[in-house]
Amino acid sequence: MKYVIFFIALIIGVPAGIVFARTNKTVEKLVFFLYIFLTTEEITINFVSREFFRGTSRGFEIGIVDLIGIILYSLIVLRSAKHPPRIIPTGAPIYFVLFGFCLISITNSAPGYVMHSFMEIWKMIRMYLYFWINYNYIIKYSHYDYVIYCFRAIILYISYHVLRQKYIMGIWQARGPFPHQNSLVMYLIVMNSVVLAYIMNKKQRIRLFWWLTTFSLGSLCIVSTFSRAGIVCFVLSCMVIMMLSFSNSVNPRKIVITILVMFIGLLGALRSMDSIIARFETAPEASANVRKALAKSAVNMANDKTFGVGLNNFGVKVNPPYTYSSHIEGLTDESRGGLVETIYLSYAAETGWHNMVVYFVLLFYFYFKNMGNFVKHRNSDYTWLPIGLAGGLMGIYMESALEWVLKQSNNFYQLMLCFALIGSMDRLYKEKQKMKWFLWKQKLRKIRETERERGKITIPHY
């Protein structure tokens, strides 16, 4: 039935979506909203599925998000005569290098597990298309104000799931619509950070009560996961946002909002203090030991194979007959087929130390590009976006030292959306500067022509 629904959506839904979106702006905005919103839900089908495989990809999946991407891609192509798309977006060459080394690593994949490596390759292709489509679509329409309302709707939707799980279903570590609570907390760190920056830095008047309510619900969801690293990283993200907001400008409104946010945070901390303390104090020591043991296995793999042991093969080669985990005394169910709990060592183990460096370059290229946007758009009405992304990305980069969640589809999509927003802001600034230079030259030309007509400038004739 899932396959029937998928092909009906592909054959009928996508063409209909293209037609209606092209002729109706409301439908087009709805399609763009769903392109962001549905990254919270894994509505996918898997071709050649391996559901019980312990890896970062378990099949050649394709989801509703990808089908919606076809609609937006078609709109971009159909309008390319007036608005030609950027074939190679900002930062794309670094991603190509990362992708290339991932392909090379497949030569070291375990026999019978080459297909599993290509599952991750397929995911990387889908994620690049998501980046490319968002980059070119946002450049055309500059939908930054619309994006923040999409974020708000997503936070409210996630909050509904979390509150229902926590207070009706009695789930202690709520995970919302995500596969794991760590996926939820990393997703919301970015969303909530951008909302906080919007509240503090939006120049036009906004409905402050509703936006503070949105931020409060998002913060409650983060605390409800009881993710120790996630809570700490979110607090650091908020500190980065406040620091950049006050460095941009200081006014009574920001001071009042800061006091309100701190008060809301204090109330939330007092309300959940017992559970938070219990989570920090009763965390099993065995879990930390397994993390360390798997990190050592990852280092052994990276040291042994220059190009890594093969993309998406860590869960295979952590086991005998491979000797990378010989330091673990008696493999438990948790360590047998487990995944190293840091995305950075995951890239090192599966694709080589050099590719881990490339991944760092990719992450911080966009981070520093975003800080450049903060400087360039300092006096604009969109300064909140680079400030929010600065805090949010710093939070998830830090948490990724303890989690591999950025390889999960939901969070990978969101990361590529952040990159698209950063790249589009940078490109739009350059286009604006070009336009200013063109208008200045036009103005100068008119002045020279006027002065020549008045006889003030004599132009020689040859």
Side-chain angles (χ1 to χ4, degrees), residues 296-313:
K296 175 63 176 174
S297 299
V299 172
N300 292 340
M301 294 178 191
N303 289 337
D304 182 52
K305 298 289 186 180
T306 302
F307 291 102
V309 298
L311 190 65
N312 203 20
N313 267 233

Side-chain angles (χ1 to χ4, degrees), residues 107-301:
T107 58
N108 292 331
S109 296
Y113 289 92
V114 172
M115 181 181 66
H116 298 71
S117 296
F118 279 103
M119 291 175 184
E120 187 70 20
I121 289 293
W122 171 242
K123 181 194 290 183
M124 294 182 72
I125 293 172
R126 289 165 49 229
M127 296 305 152
Y128 177 76
L129 291 175
Y130 189 80
F131 164 70
W132 190 93
I133 291 168
N134 273 308
Y135 176 88
N136 281 288
Y137 188 80
I138 293 170
I139 278 181
K140 183 179 184 302
Y141 293 103
S142 305
H143 275 329
Y144 300 116
D145 280 320
Y146 187 64
V147 166
I148 190 63
Y149 279 94
C150 293
F151 284 10
R152 179 181 175 180
I154 290 170
I155 292 174
L156 295 176
Y157 174 74
I158 294 173
S159 299
Y160 161 75
H161 278 281
V162 170
L163 293 174
R164 178 172 170 269
Q165 290 172 2
K166 187 175 178 65
Y167 295 107
I168 297 177
M169 301 173 66
I171 298 175
W172 192 56
Q173 285 187 281
R175 65 175 185 269
F178 294 87
H180 194 274
Q181 60 266 20
N182 291 334
S183 310
L184 166 63
V185 74
M186 289 189 71
Y187 196 94
L188 277 181
I189 283 176
V190 175
M191 292 278 178
N192 234 29
S193 295
V194 175
V195 167
L196 176 59
Y198 181 81
I199 293 170
M200 295 193 67
N201 296 277
K202 181 66 176 177
K203 291 185 176 181
Q204 298 175 2
R205 293 189 64 181
I206 60 174
R207 295 181 178 179
L208 187 58
F209 173 79
W210 297 112
W211 283 104
L212 282 174
T213 301
T214 302
F215 175 76
S216 301
L217 287 171
S219 302
L220 175 62
C221 291
I222 291 173
V223 173
S224 297
T225 64
F226 296 114
S227 169
R228 293 166 293 170
I231 294 171
V232 172
C233 289
F234 176 60
V235 172
L236 293 175
S237 298
C238 293
M239 292 173 65
V240 169
I241 291 166
M242 290 180 179
M243 180 186 69
L244 291 177
S245 297
F246 282 108
S247 69
N248 186 44
S249 64
V250 179
N251 55 54
R253 178 174 174 272
K254 286 185 180 180
I255 295 172
V256 171
I257 292 172
T258 301
I259 294 172
L260 286 173
V261 168
M262 293 176 67
F263 179 70
I264 292 169
L266 179 62
L267 288 179
L270 291 174
R271 172 67 180 81
S272 306
M273 185 61 68
D274 293 341
S275 299
I276 295 172
I277 292 174
R279 173 60 178 149
F280 275 83
E281 290 183 345
T282 61
E285 186 178 349
S287 177
N289 292 334
V290 169
R291 285 174 177 261
K292 294 176 184 177
L294 292 175
K296 175 63 176 174
S297 299
V299 172
N300 292 340
M301 294 178 191

Side-chain angles (χ1 to χ4, degrees), residues 61 237 249 306 353 409 462:
E61 68 177 13
S237 298
S249 64
T306 302
W353 289 114
S409 295
Y462 296 97

Side-chain angles (χ1 to χ4, degrees), residues 340-356:
V340 60
E341 294 290 347
T342 160
I343 196 170
Y344 308 122
L345 284 182
S346 175
Y347 271 106
E350 294 184 346
T351 62
W353 289 114
H354 55 283
N355 213 27
M356 184 189 76

Side-chain angles (χ1 to χ4, degrees), residues 14 23 35 54 58 90 129 164 180 222 246 259 301 328 336 354 399 418 427 433 453:
V14 170
T23 56
Y35 199 45
R54 292 298 299 272
R58 300 180 182 182
T90 302
L129 291 175
R164 178 172 170 269
H180 194 274
I222 291 173
F246 282 108
I259 294 172
M301 294 178 191
I328 302 177
R336 185 182 293 109
H354 55 283
E399 191 178 356
C418 292
R427 188 66 200 173
Q433 294 303 111
E453 290 172 359

